[in-house]
Amino acid sequence: MNPDRIVITKEQLATRVAELADQIAAHYSGSSEPLVIVTVLNGAVIFLADLIRGLPMRMKLGLIGVSSYRGGVTSRGARITSRLDPELNLCGQPVLIVDDILDTGGTLRLVQQEVAARRPTSIETAVLLRKPGKAPSDIKVQYVGFDVDDEFVVGYGLDYDGQYRNLPYIGALEA
Ligand code: IMP
Ligand code: MG
């Protein structure tokens, strides 16, 4: 049941997530408004939980559900399955979008558009993982945990067919 190869260990994840939190905290330290963190369900929840405990500033949390149509392990487009709480005010607030992995960019394009429509003062994006060279250059991410090879990875929130999210490390599934 376990993936065949560990790609990022539990210790490497902890170190890097703490570094990202420090970087994000430094960036928003002068903000007079609380940071609104918009998290993409379900894959980003473990990353989110570790990240925000390293953020000392005032913040609020919003969740958005996005499902990418996947044929096996390849992305074929994204759709919103659960909308952001309409009562969560984004207008005039700084927003940080948090997702698990940037692959083709379809998911983040949708979420960035959704957030932008609610007129925040700024939008930045943090992803734990990025598969280099696949997303179009207009999909901007300011914080990246790790660049990974173009292979299917699971664990620390990421799934294959709904499973493996609870693994404490990132592993690769061999085809
Ligand atoms: P994109 O829309 O193609 O950028 O894909 C992003 C979404 O697809 C992520 O939020 C993940 O949920 C999922 N995804 C992409 N690559 C992987 C992977 O290697 N393992 C697990 N999920 C992935
Ligand atoms: Mg996802």
Side-chain angles (χ1 to χ4, degrees):
M1 276 304 279
N2 279 345
D4 314 285
R5 182 163 39 85
I6 295 182
V7 176
I8 306 170
T9 66
K10 187 178 162 180
E11 292 75 22
Q12 287 172 315
L13 286 164
T15 303
R16 186 67 186 130
V17 171
E19 285 172 2
L20 288 178
D22 287 348
Q23 217 183 321
I24 291 166
H27 180 79
Y28 291 103
S29 66
S31 173
S32 55
E33 296 293 328
L35 178 64
V36 182
I37 297 187
V38 171
T39 299
V40 185
L41 296 171
N42 296 328
V45 294
I46 312 285
F47 175 39
L48 171 82
D50 285 342
L51 184 73
I52 62 175
R53 283 178 290 174
L55 298 179
M57 75 282 234
R58 290 186 300 148
M59 53 145 297
K60 296 181 178 183
L61 198 56
L63 302 170
I64 185 167
V66 179
S67 157
S68 32
Y69 298 110
R70 308 194 74 84
V73 296
T74 49
S75 182
R76 301 165 69 187
R79 81 192 156 89
I80 293 180
T81 54
S82 153
R83 305 200 83 83
L84 257 183
D85 181 354
E87 308 225 321
L88 177 69
N89 180 43
L90 266 53
C91 181
Q93 309 297 123
V95 171
L96 176 71
I97 296 168
V98 172
D99 201 6
D100 53 1
I101 183 166
L102 173 61
D103 185 14
T104 65
T107 301
L108 280 176
R109 181 184 302 283
L110 202 61
V111 175
Q112 288 176 348
Q113 282 169 353
E114 219 26 49
V115 167
R118 291 169 64 166
R119 313 202 331 179
T121 48
S122 63
I123 305 175
E124 290 205 314
T125 301
V127 291
L128 178 68
L129 307 177
R130 175 173 63 184
K131 292 182 181 173
K134 291 184 77 185
S137 58
D138 65 310
I139 304 294
K140 306 269 186 254
V141 291
Q142 286 72 28
Y143 309 96
V144 178
F146 301 88
D147 279 313
V148 292
D149 292 340
D150 189 11
E151 60 185 353
F152 202 78
V153 290
V154 295
Y156 197 73
L158 290 100
D159 73 304
Y160 175 69
D161 198 21
Q163 294 191 61
Y164 303 111
R165 294 194 196 277
N166 55 320
L167 293 176
Y169 55 85
I170 303 278
L173 284 186
E174 306 292 340

